Amino acid sequence: MDSVLAANLMPDFNQPHTGDDHQSISAANDAGVNTVLSQLQRIIEQRMLTARFQPIVEMQNGDILGYEGLIRGPSDSPLHSPINLFKAASENDLTVTVEHLCRRVVLEQFAAQKLPGKLFLNVSPECLIQRDVRYGETLDYIHELGINPERVIIELTEYQPTHDYGLLCDAVFHYREMGFEIAIDDLGEGFSSLRLWSELKPEYVKIDMHFIQGIDHDQVKAQFVRSIQCIAEKSGTRVIAEGIETQAELLTVRDLGVACGQGYHIARPHPTPTRAISAEVAKVLTAHNAHSMRKNSSNFEQTIAIEKILKTSPTIPSKMVNNQVDEIFLQNPKLQFLPVVDNGTPIGIINRYQMIERFARPYQRELYGKKSCKEFMDAHAVVVDKNTSMQDVSHIIVETNPDHLINGIIITDQGQYLGICTGPDLMREITQMQITAARYANPLTQLPGNVPINQHIEDLLEKRHDFSACYCDLDHFKPFNDVYGYRRGDDIIQLTSEILKQHCDPQLDFIGHIGGDDFIILFRSEDWEQRCKDILLTFEKEIHYFYSNEDRERGGYLSEDRQGKKVFYPLVSLSLGVVKSSLNKFYSHHQISIAASDAKKQAKKIHGNSLFVDRRAENESSVIR
């Protein structure tokens, strides 16, 4: 009977509708719209909204940075969901009104609960640029509530594309003048979030949850977050990972060096939120000050020249007028850029879309159509020599203006125009280089593995460079793993890699991860011995944070040996064995490996953190505890 009833309720599309049918359908639709509108008006008039607050934590120590203010409609209403609420507001031209009400409700409840830290306040670009109230209303209201503007971060959330970047930048400037900070929400998901980042230079960017969920087993997502983190470090922006829902995701995000995190695994949104994270999450984040797995790129990343991705492109002289340039673009739909070259020397570049945008404005064609193309030219285009490495080009772009990725890069040969490369081609090639490097890198520390280690030793020997090979090995590491767990063991290995990086010169020294708890340093620094001593001192200081108070006080812990007997083990220590290439006749990496391993074995015979230097060619050996 249900299926018959359902069939009878469905319109018969094969039969012509009468005028009464159309009137009935229209009236039903109007009734539905009026019902939603009346509910929305009642919510606005009676302020029937409640706030939810979700903590955002510092990944380094588990402290709560602040809270994102979220909004909910009445629980018994179809407008309870913020998605439905703002959809109804948009359909009835009430977006700004609803957003202002949401902002007030969140601010009031944040102040009433006296929540610590910062408040991330969701604001759409459309609402931010409202001329009548954009600069004063929010500031006056938060002063009434007793909130310092420096505690409020305006979190820009796009519900529709942003068109007027000039007006938006102007609004952001005035809010910053009043003490507010800026965050961009859902990076990687919105209409133009990357351009917003470039234009607004926010203090925070929030990576969309799509790239966080499942990141622990998705290398593409991990590489995306790693790339965003790299740009953030260069631009002084802090990254917040949204949507962390499992411990595996939390650990991966932490190890990638992301500054802050947010998600259900940390804490769910709540009207009266927690003021401290759970013990389980705190234990993960405070294990070792969250040493990050940043790749040791010195002497390892390939330095492929930009010439590899060079493309030929037609050029134009600076005397060509804009109408002629526009005609070239119209006749060549796939042409994205036109380098401006005079007598073989590049002086700028014209972007297809920027030119079309300029001509689309009123009177621009009449004013500039017959003028030199220099009027619309980017005179500050990135110009690099063909032998410049791709890594160096990417650094130049990040440090100047990421917009150059859109405009393209001009390539020259001894100052003369040679060709051009595009931003997507550059990023694609760099990503491939990173994938190739990662193939031979240790997955835990991202340090070079055995293949590049051996290659580097052979290269040093071939060029007859003097160097000191330092074999690094952890003592009593296996029983620590048995007592404290493999995850804490991984944390110690990462700590060790970070300490080695801290005390090595990236321009001279090479660090490799042989495997497990074994590392090697190929020192070319003249003060290598002092660096070894500093490594031992730092390790001795940091390792204490991995133990319970009881184990620290007695200087060790009990664990079972292979026969199942309880044995007392001292705290994990670090042994360094060094062999100098200049004092021995080495011809291959095999000989260096054997000699360094022998020196390490001598160091491990010494109790505690120790350094053994093999100086047999000087008829002596040096032992330093």
Side-chain angles (χ1 to χ4, degrees):
M1 187 172 73
D2 289 342
S3 55
V4 173
L5 177 61
N8 289 335
L9 290 174
M10 291 294 292
D12 185 353
F13 293 105
N14 295 318
Q15 297 296 326
H17 290 297
T18 65
D20 291 341
D21 291 334
H22 284 296
Q23 290 176 2
S24 299
I25 294 170
S26 177
N29 289 338
D30 290 343
V33 170
N34 290 334
T35 300
V36 171
L37 177 58
S38 63
Q39 289 188 31
L40 183 61
Q41 290 173 333
R42 186 164 65 93
I43 288 172
I44 294 171
E45 291 168 3
Q46 300 181 22
R47 292 168 56 94
M48 300 170 64
L49 298 174
T50 56
R52 300 284 190 276
F53 297 97
Q54 186 172 32
I56 298 171
V57 303
E58 298 274 7
M59 299 293 285
Q60 214 172 30
N61 52 27
D63 292 344
I64 291 181
L65 168 70
Y67 300 83
E68 179 179 0
L70 306 168
I71 208 73
R72 297 291 185 272
S75 58
D76 58 350
S77 166
L79 302 184
H80 173 71
S81 161
I83 295 175
N84 294 341
L85 178 68
F86 281 100
K87 180 182 177 183
S90 176
E91 291 172 348
N92 293 280
D93 295 325
L94 290 170
T95 299
V96 174
T97 301
V98 170
E99 199 168 311
H100 275 275
L101 176 58
C102 292
R103 199 185 303 180
R104 282 179 169 266
V105 169
V106 168
L107 285 166
E108 288 170 1
Q109 296 186 22
F110 182 80
Q113 296 186 53
K114 298 180 180 180
L115 292 174
K118 297 179 180 290
L119 170 64
F120 285 73
L121 195 62
N122 285 291
V123 182
S124 68
E126 176 189 3
C127 191
L128 195 72
I129 62 179
Q130 290 296 309
R131 292 182 179 275
D132 52 344
V133 294
R134 61 179 175 168
Y135 299 151
E137 182 179 284
T138 301
L139 182 65
D140 291 341
Y141 194 62
I142 69 168
H143 278 315
E144 289 178 21
L145 295 172
I147 301 174
N148 188 325
E150 294 180 358
R151 294 181 60 200
V152 179
I153 289 93
I154 294 174
E155 185 172 322
L156 290 175
T157 305
E158 289 186 290
Y159 300 113
Q160 57 189 19
T162 300
H163 298 293
D164 199 331
Y165 286 95
L167 194 59
L168 184 59
C169 288
D170 186 42
V172 166
F173 172 79
H174 283 279
Y175 272 101
R176 277 204 174 103
E177 288 284 293
M178 293 186 286
F180 296 94
E181 291 183 317
I182 304 297
I184 293 177
D185 193 21
D186 295 335
L187 184 71
E189 191 273 340
F191 296 97
S192 53
S193 51
L194 283 173
R195 181 170 177 181
L196 278 177
W197 189 354
S198 171
E199 297 273 359
L200 304 182
K201 297 176 175 58
E203 284 76 20
Y204 299 88
V205 292
K206 301 180 79 172
I207 299 178
D208 182 62
M209 65 175 63
H210 166 77
F211 297 99
I212 303 303
Q213 292 172 352
I215 191 174
D216 52 300
H217 52 74
D218 190 324
Q219 288 300 313
V220 174
K221 291 181 178 180
Q223 182 57 49
F224 176 85
V225 173
R226 194 178 289 116
S227 299
I228 293 300
Q229 178 64 21
C230 181
I231 296 173
E233 289 175 355
K234 296 288 186 180
S235 60
T237 303
R238 304 194 75 199
V239 176
I240 300 172
E242 289 189 296
I244 299 173
E245 296 188 352
T246 67
Q247 179 162 314
E249 291 168 0
L250 179 69
L251 288 168
T252 303
V253 169
R254 182 203 74 173
D255 290 344
L256 287 171
V258 174
C260 306
Q262 176 183 1
Y264 281 7
H265 183 70
I266 297 171
R268 291 175 175 267
H270 198 273
T272 55
T274 179
R275 294 169 187 249
I277 60 175
S278 68
E280 178 189 5
V281 174
K283 182 179 179 181
V284 171
L285 296 183
T286 58
H288 65 98
N289 298 325
H291 289 280
S292 63
M293 289 196 319
R294 297 186 181 91
K295 182 184 292 184
N296 181 2
S297 61
S298 58
N299 302 307
F300 184 50
E301 286 186 352
Q302 301 178 47
T303 54
I304 300 174
I306 193 73
E307 185 181 17
K308 180 183 177 183
I309 55 174
L310 178 145
K311 292 182 178 178
T312 57
S313 170
T315 64
I316 57 174
S318 62
K319 65 182 180 182
M320 182 177 285
V321 299
N322 287 314
N323 281 336
Q324 293 175 302
V325 178
D326 186 48
E327 186 63 28
I328 293 174
F329 279 130
L330 289 175
Q331 292 176 2
N332 300 272
K334 294 184 178 180
L335 188 62
Q336 305 297 313
F337 323 102
L338 275 172
V340 182
V341 180
D342 285 342
N343 300 319
T345 303
I347 63 171
I349 195 168
I350 297 177
N351 178 293
R352 174 191 190 91
Y353 299 106
Q354 290 175 355
M355 184 163 200
I356 292 173
E357 182 186 12
R358 289 288 295 272
F359 267 171
R361 298 176 186 176
Y363 310 115
Q364 292 293 298
R365 187 178 293 275
E366 291 79 3
L367 288 171
Y368 296 105
K370 296 181 180 181
K371 291 187 177 182
S372 164
C373 63
K374 292 172 72 174
E375 295 284 346
F376 290 171
M377 177 187 78
D378 178 6
H380 303 288
V382 172
V383 180
V384 298
D385 186 80
K386 66 177 183 178
N387 296 317
T388 308
S389 74
M390 293 190 202
Q391 292 290 344
D392 288 342
V393 174
S394 70
H395 292 154
I396 290 169
I397 291 170
V398 169
E399 291 170 5
T400 53
N401 189 340
D403 279 349
H404 291 309
L405 279 175
I406 302 172
N407 288 341
I409 300 125
I410 295 174
I411 302 172
T412 61
D413 183 7
Q414 297 181 348
Q416 294 294 292
Y417 175 80
L418 195 62
I420 195 169
C421 78
T422 66
D425 285 343
L426 175 64
M427 299 308 295
R428 191 180 302 112
E429 193 65 32
I430 289 176
T431 300
Q432 185 57 49
M433 288 164 54
Q434 292 173 338
I435 291 172
T436 301
R439 186 177 300 145
Y440 297 112
N442 183 280
L444 180 60
T445 62
Q446 293 297 297
L447 289 172
N450 289 319
V451 171
I453 290 171
N454 295 338
Q455 289 175 345
H456 194 74
I457 293 174
E458 294 290 351
D459 185 55
L460 291 174
L461 292 173
E462 182 181 343
K463 295 177 180 178
R464 298 185 178 181
H465 289 313
D466 289 343
F467 65 95
S468 299
C470 176
Y471 198 122
C472 315
D473 188 17
L474 296 175
D475 309 317
H476 316 298
F477 180 69
K478 185 182 181 303
F480 176 91
N481 259 351
D482 295 339
V483 173
Y484 284 90
Y486 76 92
R487 184 68 222 184
R488 296 292 293 278
D490 286 350
D491 289 339
I492 284 187
I493 290 174
Q494 288 177 251
L495 166 72
T496 306
S497 75
E498 292 296 325
I499 291 174
L500 299 184
K501 294 179 199 176
Q502 179 185 341
H503 293 291
C504 288
D505 184 342
Q507 302 302 318
L508 296 174
D509 307 327
F510 177 97
I511 309 171
H513 191 166
I514 297 169
D517 59 341
D518 292 359
F519 298 83
I520 191 165
I521 307 171
L522 303 175
F523 281 114
R524 292 189 61 212
S525 300
E526 292 183 0
D527 59 344
W528 60 267
E529 194 163 341
Q530 183 58 49
R531 291 177 185 272
C532 287
K533 295 176 183 177
D534 293 340
I535 287 170
L536 295 177
L537 287 172
T538 304
F539 185 87
E540 185 176 12
K541 176 183 176 183
E542 294 290 334
I543 196 65
H544 287 278
Y545 295 109
F546 289 82
Y547 293 92
S548 65
N549 292 332
E550 181 183 359
D551 287 345
R552 275 201 299 267
E553 289 173 2
R554 62 183 179 179
Y557 49 93
L558 291 172
S559 179
E560 291 185 355
D561 62 12
R562 292 180 180 178
Q563 286 73 41
K565 297 178 181 178
K566 289 287 184 179
V567 178
F568 181 82
Y569 290 95
L571 304 183
V572 173
S573 56
L574 181 61
S575 293
L576 307 180
V578 180
V579 60
K580 300 176 69 175
S581 69
S582 60
L583 300 178
N584 298 275
K585 293 183 179 180
F586 296 114
Y587 302 101
S588 72
H589 68 269
H590 296 290
Q591 293 174 307
I592 291 286
S593 174
I594 292 170
S597 180
D598 288 342
K600 178 260 299 185
K601 291 175 183 176
Q602 295 299 319
K604 290 180 77 70
K605 294 178 181 179
I606 307 162
H607 178 73
N609 297 291
S610 60
L611 168 63
F612 177 89
V613 181
D614 185 352
R615 292 192 174 103
R616 280 177 287 186
E618 298 175 341
N619 296 318
E620 64 169 301
S621 293
S622 176
V623 177
I624 303 172
R625 294 195 178 188

